[in-house]
Amino acid sequence: MPNLGLIAGRGRWLLRTLPITAASTFSTGDAVGVAGARTISIYSGGDDNFLGIARHKSVDSLPAGQVLVEIPAGPDCTVIANVPTGVAASSLSFGQTLGLYSVSGSMSYITTSYTSDAGRPLMVVGVLDSANSTIECAFKTNAVVYGSALSATLV
């Protein structure tokens, strides 16, 4: 299956058009975070600034300098994330916390290697889909500022 990036799963998601940094480079389905000056840039694996999922490439922004972001609106939101080769199925048990990192320019792959709690914003809530190399994850409540509080700050 082709890499589709992160895909919003269950729960209610908010859609917001937010400003991006001039140097932002990301693709559809990439994890994005809050950068300086309350702009949006690609999420940096291991950081605690995860915001949501980019719905289009940064170069395709319309209006210019804006990106449509899906933001989890509550703790019932899940995301379908990519599983890279080499991750043992035994490390993807229900409740296991995971980080996100980039593979081949796509910031949508899970990892078990980050050691800080803040760098692991996801938690396994589904089973590994080995045919598609994906897994369903929820957002840890201490790792994400949910949409209602965040939109009051950013918008």
Side-chain angles (χ1 to χ4, degrees):
M1 180 172 165
N3 172 20
L4 300 175
L6 295 174
I7 300 171
R10 294 179 279 162
R12 188 174 71 85
W13 290 73
L14 300 175
L15 286 173
R16 295 286 187 262
T17 301
L18 300 168
I20 60 176
T21 61
S24 289
T25 304
F26 50 81
S27 297
T28 304
D30 278 353
V32 293
V34 180
R38 295 189 176 153
T39 56
I40 305 305
S41 65
I42 193 162
Y43 173 76
S44 179
D47 282 350
D48 61 355
N49 67 341
F50 178 83
L51 174 65
I53 305 169
R55 290 294 60 178
H56 58 80
K57 294 179 181 178
S58 54
V59 296
D60 295 336
S61 63
L62 200 81
Q66 303 283 309
V67 62
L68 185 62
V69 178
E70 278 184 302
I71 303 169
D76 61 333
C77 290
T78 66
V79 65
I80 308 302
N82 295 308
V83 179
T85 56
V87 174
S90 60
S91 66
L92 300 176
S93 303
F94 185 83
Q96 172 72 37
T97 59
L98 303 168
L100 285 167
Y101 79 112
S102 180
V103 173
S104 300
S106 177
M107 178 50 86
S108 62
Y109 286 83
I110 57 101
T111 181
T112 58
S113 64
Y114 294 134
T115 55
S116 76
D117 195 43
R120 299 180 99 159
L122 301 177
M123 179 176 67
V124 175
V125 296
V127 295
L128 174 65
D129 178 350
S130 55
N132 294 315
S133 297
T134 59
I135 194 161
E136 184 179 20
C137 299
F139 298 95
K140 294 182 343 190
T141 54
N142 64 341
V144 176
V145 179
Y146 291 109
S148 58
L150 188 61
S151 58
T153 306
L154 279 175
V155 183

